[in-house]
């Protein structure tokens, strides 16, 4: 097709797109865990703040290990 400029050549493989979507969803879940912890802290449930923060940290560390980034 004229004018396409070879856009299909620059497209990421389907597996890469799925992995990117998976990691974005995991990041979104981690953000929600942080938000839930903050809400709990606002109503004096500090114990739940710590538990949500712990779960968030586990999720983020797992993401880092799976993506082999960071130190």
């Amino acid at each position: 097709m004229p004018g396409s400029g070879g856009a299909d050549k620059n497209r990421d493989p389907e597996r890469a797109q799925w992995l990117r979507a998976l990691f974005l969803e995991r990041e979104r879940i981690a953000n929600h865990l942080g938000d839930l912890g903050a809400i709990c802290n606002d109503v004096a449930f500090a114990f739940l703040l710590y538990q949500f923060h712990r779960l968030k940290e586990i999720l983020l560390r797992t993401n880092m290990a799976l993506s082999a980034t960071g130190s």
Side-chain angles (χ1 to χ4, degrees):
M1 172 163 41
S4 67
D8 290 335
K9 292 180 184 177
N10 295 329
R11 191 160 176 231
D12 291 333
E14 185 177 356
R15 182 174 186 269
Q17 292 175 2
W18 279 105
L19 287 173
R20 186 175 297 120
L22 176 67
F23 278 100
L24 287 172
E25 285 302 310
R26 290 177 60 92
E27 183 76 20
R28 187 176 67 86
I29 291 168
N31 288 332
H32 285 312
L33 289 171
D35 292 341
L36 287 170
I39 291 169
C40 291
N41 191 50
D42 288 345
V43 294
F45 287 122
F47 176 75
L48 289 177
L49 166 67
Y50 298 127
Q51 294 304 312
F52 279 120
H53 189 356
R54 184 181 62 83
L55 291 172
K56 178 180 177 180
E57 185 68 22
I58 290 170
L59 189 62
L60 292 176
R61 285 177 186 256
T62 304
N63 280 353
M64 188 169 33
L66 290 174
S67 65
T69 60
S71 54

